[in-house]
């Protein structure tokens, strides 16, 4: 520390021309003289002086390949701009030169910002135009780079650097667009099976399918070799909110067939049905009408593919209006495909049916709307 202080003191004893930096001692006579000269200058003159200092630092940085000098150049140009000298020409040059420093240091966003600001002050500043276009090119904003280069070429059609940059940007843009086309083709191919399934469900069967609300693992509908659709189906017991699942329910099967198996005489009783209300002859099935908003083909394709459409809104069942939700009794002798074709049935991701036991207090409350729909 003592050595550094001694060096600074020795430097201050030298004539000002040999100083590497301004001394900290405000009583230094040479420093006072320099400050007096600066104070006598107009803002434009001071801005020019900072510009000259910046240019010298930039040249030195390029010659010695030292980042220190580039940073010093940037500081000098910034000081020149801080003078607010009122000269658009001087400010445009300061901004353009600072953009060049940013480019060298790899600060492409700052270079683009300074280049564009310089062009606003002087649209004939081709250096600013090139530096802004180069920064946009480095940022892979090829359309902007092409547009900026074109703007400069309108002023000078023979500006070779701008021509070359524009051509390179055009080639890169075309290559980027081609890659995007190829990516879209690959994505479409990957989504092909999902789109085919969605077309079967919505287009061929004319079923309405809404946002998935319940699921059975990762099970999804599928079409077999005979063209028949297999669904995972969920049965909900609203009295206890217990559930049963049929992972493979053919559209040509009736609910009656599956219930006969689930509640066969030799089937185990439901562990939570202590009073034995839920026997085969006492079951009554319902579905909730308009349980979701129907999705269009693209949304359903994305869901079946395993994604989630960003613009798919979450719309809850409605209590009022033409699409108000209500409990609808199910004719269990009907085929699954027939039930899904009901005008008011919107599949909430997978078919869901609600089972209650006839002749119970809960049935009475369920049908009297004492039990909330949702």
């Amino acid at each position: 520390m003592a050595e550094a202080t001694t060096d600074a003191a020795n430097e201050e004893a030298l004539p000002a021309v040999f100083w590497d930096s301004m001394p900290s001692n405000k009583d230094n006579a040479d420093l006072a003289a320099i400050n007096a000269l600066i104070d006598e200058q107009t803002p434009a003159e001071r801005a020019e002086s900072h510009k000259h200092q910046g240019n010298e630092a930039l040249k030195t940085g390029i010659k010695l390949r030292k980042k220190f000098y580039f940073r010093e150049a940037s500081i000098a140009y910034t000081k020149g701009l801080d003078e607010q000298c009122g000269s658009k020409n001087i400010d445009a040059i300061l901004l353009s030169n600072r953009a060049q420093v940013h480019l060298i240091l790899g600060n492409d966003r700052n270079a683009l910002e300074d280049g564009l600001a310089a062009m606003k002050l002087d649209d004939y500043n081709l250096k600013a135009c090139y530096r802004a276009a180069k920064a946009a090119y480095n940022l892979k904003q090829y359309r902007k780079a092409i547009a900026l280069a074109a703007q400069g070429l309108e002023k000078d059609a023979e500006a070779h650097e701008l021509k070359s940059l524009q051509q390179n940007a055009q080639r890169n843009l075309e290559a980027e667009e081609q890659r995007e086309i190829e990516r879209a083709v690959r994505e479409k191919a990957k989504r092909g099976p999902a789109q085919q399934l969605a077309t079967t469900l919505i287009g061929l069967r004319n079923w309405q399918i809404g946002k998935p609300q319940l699921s059975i693992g990762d099970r999804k509908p599928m079409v077999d070799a005979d063209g028949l659709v297999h669904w995972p189906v969920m049965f909900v017991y609203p009295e206890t909110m217990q559930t049963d699942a049929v992972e493979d329910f053919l559209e040509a099967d009736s609910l009656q067939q599956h219930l006969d198996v689930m509640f066969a005489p030799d089937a185990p009783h439901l562990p939570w049905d202590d009073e034995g209300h839920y026997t085969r002859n006492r079951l009554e099935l319902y579905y909730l009408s308009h349980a979701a908003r129907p999705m269009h083909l693209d949304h359903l394709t994305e869901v079946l593919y395993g994604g989630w459409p960003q613009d798919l809104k979450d719309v809850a069942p409605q209590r009022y209006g033409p699409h108000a939700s209500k409990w609808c009794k199910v004719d269990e002798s009907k085929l699954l495909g027939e039930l899904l074709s009901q005008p008011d049935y919107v599949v909430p991701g997978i078919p869901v049916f609600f089972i209650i036991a006839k002749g119970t207090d809960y049935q009475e409350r369920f049908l009297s709307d004492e039990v909330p729909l949702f």
Side-chain angles (χ1 to χ4, degrees), residues 5-44:
T5 304
T6 302
D7 289 344
N10 291 338
E11 184 177 292
E12 289 182 20
L14 297 172
V17 70
F18 296 108
W19 291 350
D20 289 329
S21 60
M22 290 295 189
S24 58
N25 181 9
K26 295 183 180 180
D27 295 330
N28 185 286
D30 287 345
L31 176 62
I34 290 172
N35 286 336
L37 289 173
I38 292 174
D39 290 339
E40 291 176 2
Q41 290 180 325
T42 65

Side-chain angles (χ1 to χ4, degrees), residues 214 233-236 286-288 340 345 347-348 350-354:
L214 298 170
V233 173
M234 180 173 288
F235 293 100
V236 178
Y286 293 84
Y287 67 81
L288 184 64
L340 300 188
Y345 194 94
V347 179
I350 61 172
V352 179
F353 298 97
F354 298 82

